[in-house]
Amino acid sequence: MRIVSWNLNGLPATLDNGCFEAIEILRPNILCLQEIRTDKEPTVIKNFRHIWNHAKQSNYSGTATITHYKPRSVNKGFGDLEGRIITTEFEKIFVVNVYFPNSQSNLKRREYRLRWDDEFHDYICSMSSRKPIIICGDFNVTRSPLDIFKSNERMQLKEQGYLTDERANLENLLDEGFCDVFRELNPTERSYTWWSNRMNQREINHGWRLDYFLISEELMSKVISMEHLTEIEGSDHCPIMLELKI
């Protein structure tokens, strides 16, 4: 099984620019998209099922899961109005496609973000006894200094994406029996999934690792590979890909 996850920062522009040609070459079985920012439902990959969760606010947030497999069930979250989560149940696993809220530069949404973290934690724990879970998407937080470009190691603790509470909430989720696949496979590697659009940050690789695959511990032995597809452009995030023997 091959799963690709990508925060698009807008699906329409990504489609118009032909960015999915590189994704189709990878032949994923499941494609999880975040921040689609559209109410439309175009065909992204032909002959795949398209599952949409739009935000109530137009042209904002939203997720889509595009799958070759027919899911047993689909759940679109826990009552949020921003289209941030799609859970697809298959025979042996759940796949949770998620776009975590951003606390924003003035932290005006910090309270919302922390409440959302708690609800997501409870939601995942309520499913974990049923079958293994794969969680993927943009978590809008980094785990450690290793996940931010080296010259920014001062790590402004008041910045969104590196708030102590947000990091603690991610660790709490991992403590429930999940593995951060990239870090398990690459304990000391610096590799990023998001770069600011300002000042050519991607060209000089001044990035942050904000996009993750978290999987139930029992699936870790089935992992073949996990990659940051930094060569694929079209968004301020790069796609990430997980391959497992399932």
Side-chain angles (χ1 to χ4, degrees):
M1 172 182 283
R2 185 173 290 176
I3 306 174
V4 172
S5 174
W6 196 6
N7 178 314
L8 300 178
N9 195 19
L11 174 60
T14 314
L15 279 172
D16 290 345
N17 293 328
C19 299
F20 285 104
E21 293 177 7
I23 298 295
E24 290 195 59
I25 290 171
L26 299 170
R27 301 183 67 182
N29 304 109
I30 301 172
L31 175 61
C32 294
L33 305 176
Q34 304 91 41
E35 203 173 359
I36 57 173
R37 292 170 56 183
T38 181
D39 299 325
K40 297 180 180 178
E41 299 184 353
T43 297
V44 177
I45 300 179
K46 292 180 180 178
N47 302 317
F48 274 52
R49 293 171 175 83
H50 290 53
I51 302 163
W52 304 91
N53 192 6
H54 302 288
K56 185 175 181 180
Q57 178 181 333
S58 182
N59 300 321
Y60 177 73
S61 187
T63 48
T65 296
I66 298 162
T67 172
H68 182 257
Y69 306 126
K70 181 180 179 180
R72 287 189 169 189
S73 67
V74 174
N75 189 314
K76 297 184 180 179
F78 37 79
D80 79 289
L81 300 178
E82 298 184 352
R84 293 187 175 274
I85 182 170
I86 299 173
T87 299
T88 43
E89 179 186 5
F90 301 98
E91 181 182 358
K92 295 182 178 180
I93 57 169
F94 290 105
V95 175
V96 180
N97 174 12
V98 62
Y99 174 41
F100 277 71
N102 190 321
S103 293
Q104 300 187 3
S105 57
N106 60 4
L107 306 186
K108 65 182 180 181
R109 299 200 82 199
R110 184 180 184 187
E111 183 178 342
Y112 173 73
R113 165 64 192 256
L114 297 179
R115 185 172 66 251
W116 203 94
D117 282 355
D118 289 342
E119 291 178 355
F120 184 78
H121 178 277
D122 292 345
Y123 175 74
I124 293 298
C125 289
S126 71
M127 297 162 45
S128 60
S129 63
R130 296 170 56 190
K131 61 181 68 176
I133 304 173
I134 297 172
I135 309 168
C136 63
D138 176 6
F139 281 58
N140 263 315
V141 67
T142 57
R143 288 189 65 192
S144 75
L146 201 57
D147 299 313
I148 301 177
F149 66 94
K150 194 170 179 59
S151 59
N152 196 34
E153 278 189 337
R154 58 190 170 81
M155 286 177 300
Q156 303 167 32
L157 295 182
K158 292 185 179 181
E159 282 192 67
Q160 74 276 23
Y162 202 77
L163 292 170
T164 301
D165 289 341
E166 294 175 358
R167 291 169 50 230
N169 287 342
L170 176 55
E171 296 302 324
N172 289 340
L173 187 59
L174 290 166
D175 288 344
E176 295 291 348
F178 291 90
C179 297
D180 172 0
V181 180
F182 181 82
R183 191 53 68 213
E184 291 284 336
L185 297 178
N186 307 280
T188 61
E189 182 178 344
R190 289 183 180 274
S191 181
Y192 313 120
T193 66
W194 172 83
W195 302 262
S196 171
N197 286 323
R198 295 176 294 179
M199 300 177 65
N200 300 315
Q201 296 294 287
R202 187 161 187 166
E203 286 77 4
I204 59 177
N205 200 28
H206 281 183
W208 293 35
R209 185 170 76 103
L210 299 177
D211 302 83
Y212 297 79
F213 277 102
L214 305 188
I215 65 174
S216 299
E217 288 176 346
E218 62 210 85
L219 293 177
M220 198 63 211
S221 63
K222 300 182 183 298
V223 171
I224 299 171
S225 64
M226 195 243 153
E227 301 177 62
H228 294 165
L229 304 173
T230 55
E231 72 282 2
I232 297 179
E233 299 183 350
S235 170
D236 51 355
H237 293 251
C238 72
I240 60 176
M241 182 170 70
L242 175 67
E243 190 167 2
L244 309 97
K245 300 175 186 174
I246 297 180

